[in-house]
Amino acid sequence: MALHPETQRKAQMEIDQFVGKERLPTYEDRASLPYVEALYREFQRWRPVTPLGVLHTATDDDMYKGFYIPKGTLVIPNVWAIGRDEAIYQDPERFMPERFFNADGALNNDTVNYVFGFGLRYFMPTIAP
């Protein structure tokens, strides 16, 4: 926020307007704070916590966009590059929460969920000694 104090001011104004100054925002307030949501999405896109994601292993032979991926291949998702795809994010190096709004001012459908990883999740129970 030190690099973009104007966005902090906008977010604080929205919080003060909807939540007030007597309490902190809660998860239930999230839908009523569209600028804060856009700011959150832009932080994730602009500076992802894990730029190369988490390693995965192909569990079966697969084809992706004409590329053969044999079973057992290590796959490293490039989250950084996805967030900088100019076909999706115009001027990707620029920090701009407004990119997550439609022309009518509503939030768009880009939830930037790719920053949380890809593929199946497996629960691996702890085995007691």
Side-chain angles (χ1 to χ4, degrees), residues 9-72:
R9 280 190 289 277
K10 287 180 185 179
Q12 188 64 59
M13 284 175 43
E14 184 177 76
I15 291 169
D16 290 346
Q17 182 179 15
F18 179 78
V19 176
K21 297 183 181 195
E22 305 303 315
R23 67 179 179 88
L24 294 172
T26 65
Y27 186 77
E28 288 74 29
D29 297 322
R30 192 169 176 179
S32 301
L33 301 169
Y35 188 80
V36 173
E37 176 68 21
L39 182 62
Y40 166 73
R41 292 177 187 184
E42 182 67 346
F43 276 129
Q44 292 181 97
R45 182 206 66 82
W46 190 58
R47 296 289 188 259
V49 175
T50 55
L52 289 179
V54 178
L55 288 174
H56 286 68
T57 303
T59 55
D60 295 302
D61 290 346
D62 200 1
M63 290 291 291
Y64 180 74
K65 294 189 177 184
F67 292 96
Y68 173 66
I69 303 171
K71 179 179 179 175

Side-chain angles (χ1 to χ4, degrees), residues 8 11 25 42 51 53 59 61 63 67 74 77 82-83 86 102 104 112 117:
Q8 182 176 358
E42 182 67 346
T59 55
D61 290 346
M63 290 291 291
F67 292 96
L74 289 178
I82 294 168
E86 292 184 4
N102 294 323
D104 65 0
V112 195

